[in-house]
Amino acid sequence: MVTGGGGARLAMAAWSVLSSAAVNVFLLVVLPRVSHAQTFSFPFLQPESCGHNQYFDISALSCVPCGANQRRDARGTSCMCLPGFQMLSNNGGPDFICKKCPENMKGVTEDGWNCISCPGGLTAEGKCHCPTGHILVERAVNGTLLSQATCKLCDENENSFTVANALGNRCIRCEPTFINTSRSCTCSAPNILTGGLCFSSTGNFPSRVISSARYGDLGMSFTSEWFVKYLQSSAAACWVYANLTSCQALGNMCVMNMNSYDSTTFDACRLFQFIFENTAGLRTVHSISFWRQNLPWLFYGDQLGLGPQVLSTTPLPTNFSFKGENQNRKLKFVAASYDVRGNFLKWQTLEGGILQLCPDTETRLNAAYSFGTTYQQNCEIPLSKILTDFPSPIFYDVYLEYTDENQHQYIWAVPVLNLNLQYNKIFVNQDSSSSKWLLTRRIFLVDALSGRENDLGSQPRLIRIATQISLSIHLVPNTKNGNIYPPLITIAYSDIDVTDPSSQSVKVSFSVKYEMNQGEAQVQTDIALGVLGGLAVLSSLLKTAGWKRRIGSPMIDLQTVMKFLVYYAGDLANVFFIITVGTGLYWLIFFKAQKSISVLLPVPAQEERLVTYVGCAFALKALQFLHKLISQITIDIFFIDWERPKGKVLKAVEGEGGVRSATVPVSIWRTYFVANEWNEIQTVRKINPLFQILTVLFFLEVVGFKNLALMDSSSSLSRSPASYIAPYSRILRYAVSTALWLVIGIIQIMFFAVFYERFIEDKIRQFVDLCCMSNISVFLLSHKCFGYYIHGRSVHGHADTNMEEMNMNLKREAENLCSQRGLVPNTDGQTFQIAISSQMRQHYDRIHDTLTRKNGPARLLSSSASTFEQSIKAYHTMNKFLGSFIDHVHKEMDYFIKDKLLLERILGMEFMEPMEKSIFYNDEGYSFSSVLYYGNEATLLIFDLLFFCVVDLACQNFVLAAFLTYLQQEIFRFIRNTVGQKNLASKTLVDQRFLI
């Protein structure tokens, strides 16, 4: 026996087993099984595809035949009895029963459930028919069904003034205009019946009304069925009775006609203007002269010059700010909305996409009204969707809500610039001068009503869509508190000829832009450009004067003018670069960091000036870069070998069959080695170009610095994918790019100078040391009479030795057991700037011409033996001449050594001209690097930066700009090395095949 808790557990276990078994039996027996061969498709049918005696079953989604004595109803989703048959059963399902009415009661009641006798005859649907002005009575007051229907005539006498309603089942009071005009329910001559209203023929109201809808885009106008029915009646009701909804409806029809005014025709706007002019005695609304009592406010008047007065005279009495406790960064737009018949619908905020036809998330739609955020939205919408979503136009009067200092709420009317408005057939609002504009107030998004010709229920022939809506906010000049002028809505409509709505589509856009007067900024930029441009002229003149002295030519010729222009191009490029970088950083810092708004970003049209300056800076810097590149690959260079033969050896004499003694030849490998090292350092830079590009790209794309270039007030480096991403500002992109590029470049240069060159590798100084260890000096002429000299004469007398002696020499030098390396005894100065005399240059050229004859050593293998021997002889002659020149052998071509003056170093020129003697200037700064990439890092850095920015400004893509920048660096590096190798080989007799 099981008792207590154990029994309960056993019972529960048994119940679980039984329940599981029951469920399994239900699933196996009751539920149908799915066959593996069964398909889940069936014919696709629509309600209109069903036959006359079929209806569309909304459950089975197929056509089902109606029962006996039945036919399909108007919707096509159920059946109804045939005429002369009454319903016996109808529960909304397939069980639908009809029965034929007896011969004495052939009519069917309006609800279809009973048969009734009809003395006045039957309609096509089998219902009782009554004459005009009569109503059909089928039941008594208490609901009892009459055996015979009766037709009652509505009482039109003065005590009742009733007529039958549209359904013919009730008597209602006549329209008030009938009673007021004729004291009856009929509008007989000479009164005028229009739009269901009756008006007296007396008065000065225009009797001939033009019921045409204008479609300026298509160059046509046609009679609109809506205007035919309601234009004259609305205008008359507004004029005669001051009917508020009629006045609003008349205003709506004027707006549907693009607020266009033509003094020769009485269309909607002309009628509105007629009423406005003839109600001058009425008071104005809110003391606004353009807003007449009972009338909607449509225009700001037609006087010239009103546009600028409305837009830029009175600032809004509110402030906007990005940060702080009292920040105000939301534009609170509200709109009074009306339907097409003039009924007021409601006040509504513009948030949620009220004026934005393009669908999007609410967050992104509402971003349009965040102050300082430039907004751009574009899309293409099917015409069928527009026709479905906007069967009737909604009209909006837009206001900006604000709070004054006393926390009272007010609204400010927002003017509208309708680009389709015509004044006497002239599109005045498309003029560039705001003094000719005619500002309006009311707008709509889609008008699919006025384009209907004959039937208001038919598809419109034409549809008018607001394809471009732009909201402009102008900052008050010199404001410090974020004051703005009234915003302006600019709207452009497109007229679409409706042919096939399912295949047609329309492109629409919505934008918000912020503007401020850039005149002061442009004046300051022009002043800076003028001052710095003048300094650039002086700098270029000094450079040209220094160049003239270095080439030893006192004459001013065409070459001098061209050289000045090249120097001026480089200096002017720096001027443009400084101005553009300063301008970009100004907008970046002051716009993003401001609390109370005092500056707004330039609009794209205002950015063109800076973009032009950037383009000029790049073009001029490219010219400077190419000039330096050509100068570097056309220098004169010679390696002076100080090594002397160590003795004589026996050498076989070819052709004589004997031997004779000869001096031991000096190895050429040291010269080849030094030449190869010189070739390697030609493109050495103070930065790593690839690291520079990748780091800038990393900070822009990965870290998110590119988000600082968005045209909004946020300074965040990251943005939520769900939030709206504003368009990029070209000025801010340029500012962010240049700032990152310069900062990273300067950090690299400082790291290179402070750490890398001191503790890891200094290739320039290592090259000087190599020259000394190789017993090779470098004589380099960058100009005709100016160049550089690297003294590499070994203090040990020779360098072509074994390892043991080489180590011993180095040890002795480290222990100061030998003389110092300098050209001047007991000094370490090995590098010099040299200004040679013209006599020295002439002697150099005579030997050099022999050395480089027959196009240099590149053709040694195909040249004759005599030519090769002449080149070898010229090489030794040049080596001996330059060596003797350095040793002061030639007294007529001697030189002396001195230090440059401080002013000479600053100006980069020499005051003393080498007349009889050449001048060697001590150069501890290794300025011979100026003929290498190493000494022109600033030019290269700025050129790469401008190339990167120009590509980005053109394509708005940092990745592509980085790739093309790296590509051009490699191309110019290849050109520099290749052409430099050829020049080096031709100048020094070094075989190009030994240059790596």
Side-chain angles (χ1 to χ4, degrees), residues 119 189 370 549 573 629 671 707 785:
S370 178
R549 178 152 294 187
L629 186 65
T671 303
N707 291 323
C785 296

PDB file of all heavy atoms in Angstrom, residues 119 189 370 549 573 629 671 707 785:
ATOM      1  N   PRO A 119     -46.376  51.946 -56.212  1.00  0.00           N
ATOM      2  CA  PRO A 119     -47.301  52.594 -57.154  1.00  0.00           C
ATOM      3  C   PRO A 119     -46.573  53.458 -58.188  1.00  0.00           C
ATOM      4  O   PRO A 119     -47.104  53.704 -59.270  1.00  0.00           O
ATOM      5  CB  PRO A 119     -48.199  53.429 -56.244  1.00  0.00           C
ATOM      6  CG  PRO A 119     -47.373  53.687 -55.032  1.00  0.00           C
ATOM      7  CD  PRO A 119     -46.527  52.471 -54.832  1.00  0.00           C
ATOM      8  N   ALA A 189     -34.517  82.117 -62.496  1.00  0.00           N
ATOM      9  CA  ALA A 189     -33.980  83.322 -63.134  1.00  0.00           C
ATOM     10  C   ALA A 189     -34.660  84.554 -62.544  1.00  0.00           C
ATOM     11  O   ALA A 189     -35.827  84.498 -62.140  1.00  0.00           O
ATOM     12  CB  ALA A 189     -34.186  83.245 -64.639  1.00  0.00           C
ATOM     13  N   SER A 370      16.487  69.919 -36.529  1.00  0.00           N
ATOM     14  CA  SER A 370      17.534  70.140 -35.536  1.00  0.00           C
ATOM     15  C   SER A 370      18.397  71.303 -36.016  1.00  0.00           C
ATOM     16  O   SER A 370      19.022  71.228 -37.087  1.00  0.00           O
ATOM     17  CB  SER A 370      18.377  68.873 -35.362  1.00  0.00           C
ATOM     18  OG  SER A 370      19.426  69.085 -34.450  1.00  0.00           O
ATOM     19  N   ARG A 549      72.774  85.158 -58.883  1.00  0.00           N
ATOM     20  CA  ARG A 549      74.157  85.186 -58.398  1.00  0.00           C
ATOM     21  C   ARG A 549      74.781  83.801 -58.494  1.00  0.00           C
ATOM     22  O   ARG A 549      75.965  83.661 -58.810  1.00  0.00           O
ATOM     23  CB  ARG A 549      74.174  85.699 -56.965  1.00  0.00           C
ATOM     24  CG  ARG A 549      75.549  85.720 -56.327  1.00  0.00           C
ATOM     25  CD  ARG A 549      75.650  86.788 -55.271  1.00  0.00           C
ATOM     26  NE  ARG A 549      75.551  88.113 -55.852  1.00  0.00           N
ATOM     27  CZ  ARG A 549      75.747  89.250 -55.171  1.00  0.00           C
ATOM     28  NH1 ARG A 549      76.030  89.188 -53.882  1.00  0.00           N
ATOM     29  NH2 ARG A 549      75.635  90.418 -55.742  1.00  0.00           N
ATOM     30  N   ALA A 573      51.689  79.264 -53.873  1.00  0.00           N
ATOM     31  CA  ALA A 573      51.048  78.021 -53.441  1.00  0.00           C
ATOM     32  C   ALA A 573      51.017  77.944 -51.922  1.00  0.00           C
ATOM     33  O   ALA A 573      50.010  77.546 -51.324  1.00  0.00           O
ATOM     34  CB  ALA A 573      51.779  76.820 -54.027  1.00  0.00           C
ATOM     35  N   LEU A 629      61.998  68.704 -58.885  1.00  0.00           N
ATOM     36  CA  LEU A 629      62.328  67.364 -59.376  1.00  0.00           C
ATOM     37  C   LEU A 629      63.277  67.451 -60.567  1.00  0.00           C
ATOM     38  O   LEU A 629      64.282  66.720 -60.639  1.00  0.00           O
ATOM     39  CB  LEU A 629      61.040  66.633 -59.764  1.00  0.00           C
ATOM     40  CG  LEU A 629      61.181  65.158 -60.158  1.00  0.00           C
ATOM     41  CD1 LEU A 629      61.652  64.335 -58.977  1.00  0.00           C
ATOM     42  CD2 LEU A 629      59.859  64.625 -60.684  1.00  0.00           C
ATOM     43  N   THR A 671      84.236  53.735 -55.618  1.00  0.00           N
ATOM     44  CA  THR A 671      83.430  54.769 -56.293  1.00  0.00           C
ATOM     45  C   THR A 671      82.036  54.247 -56.613  1.00  0.00           C
ATOM     46  O   THR A 671      81.026  54.954 -56.427  1.00  0.00           O
ATOM     47  CB  THR A 671      84.129  55.219 -57.583  1.00  0.00           C
ATOM     48  OG1 THR A 671      85.440  55.685 -57.260  1.00  0.00           O
ATOM     49  CG2 THR A 671      83.352  56.324 -58.267  1.00  0.00           C
ATOM     50  N   ASN A 707      33.546  62.197 -39.201  1.00  0.00           N
ATOM     51  CA  ASN A 707      32.245  62.664 -38.735  1.00  0.00           C
ATOM     52  C   ASN A 707      32.277  64.117 -38.292  1.00  0.00           C
ATOM     53  O   ASN A 707      31.228  64.753 -38.164  1.00  0.00           O
ATOM     54  CB  ASN A 707      31.747  61.775 -37.596  1.00  0.00           C
ATOM     55  CG  ASN A 707      31.382  60.374 -38.063  1.00  0.00           C
ATOM     56  OD1 ASN A 707      30.858  60.195 -39.157  1.00  0.00           O
ATOM     57  ND2 ASN A 707      31.700  59.379 -37.259  1.00  0.00           N
ATOM     58  N   CYS A 785      77.351  78.113 -60.939  1.00  0.00           N
ATOM     59  CA  CYS A 785      78.475  78.541 -60.112  1.00  0.00           C
ATOM     60  C   CYS A 785      78.225  78.295 -58.631  1.00  0.00           C
ATOM     61  O   CYS A 785      78.806  78.988 -57.767  1.00  0.00           O
ATOM     62  CB  CYS A 785      78.784  80.018 -60.352  1.00  0.00           C
ATOM     63  SG  CYS A 785      79.329  80.389 -62.034  1.00  0.00           S
TER      64      CYS A 785
END
